[in-house]
Amino acid sequence: MNEIRGKQLKFLADANVERDIITRIAMLGYDIQWVPTAHISLDDETILKLAEKEGRILITNDKDFGELIFRQKRVSAGIVLIRMKEATGKQKAELIGKLITTCGDKLSGNFVVVTARKCRFLPMGGWV
């Protein structure tokens, strides 16, 4: 079990997240569920509710979650949005693994946009 400041980080990976990323996070010892194996088919709204209910940080390639969080002022345990169209699954997995191990304490409560060059942390939930 991996903890950051006494709290275990848990993840929920959207259906569009590559298996390499799931494998990497699991190898690091984190609790991760992947929508295709945990649930048959869920829409974005249901995925977001599930992640919040279980206190999981959502990992996705789908920028529609930005709409749900910021325009609709929704609450979330945290979201990691991967924006690396040209990268392979292995390259994405390496970067996400590095993000979690070096910045895991900053993932909760933030909308994190990950590109090949940088990670941008946007605070969420100030509207609650």
Side-chain angles (χ1 to χ4, degrees), residues 32-72:
I32 183 159
Q33 289 187 3
W34 192 23
V35 170
T37 57
H39 307 278
I40 302 295
S41 177
L42 302 175
D43 61 20
D44 291 351
E45 180 78 26
T46 305
I47 290 170
L48 190 59
K49 285 179 182 177
L50 177 63
E52 182 60 26
K53 177 183 172 189
E54 296 184 4
R56 294 181 181 275
I57 296 167
L58 177 64
I59 300 174
T60 185
N61 287 302
D62 184 354
K63 61 184 179 180
D64 289 344
F65 285 99
E67 169 82 17
L68 287 171
I69 294 298
F70 293 108
R71 291 209 177 132
Q72 296 183 18

Side-chain angles (χ1 to χ4, degrees), residues 1-9 30:
M1 172 173 14
N2 280 314
E3 295 183 0
I4 301 291
R5 295 185 184 165
K7 183 178 178 186
Q8 180 187 10
L9 287 180
Y30 290 95

Side-chain angles (χ1 to χ4, degrees), residues 71-116:
R71 291 209 177 132
Q72 296 183 18
K73 298 183 176 167
R74 298 288 306 277
V75 176
S76 172
I79 295 179
V80 175
L81 173 63
I82 304 166
R83 302 303 297 157
M84 301 170 56
K85 291 182 182 179
E86 303 300 320
T88 65
K90 289 185 187 298
Q91 290 168 326
K92 290 179 183 181
E94 186 174 322
L95 190 60
I96 296 302
K98 185 176 178 182
L99 170 71
I100 293 170
T101 57
T102 61
C103 301
D105 61 333
K106 297 179 185 175
L107 298 179
S108 293
N110 283 304
F111 190 97
V112 184
V113 181
V114 179
T115 67

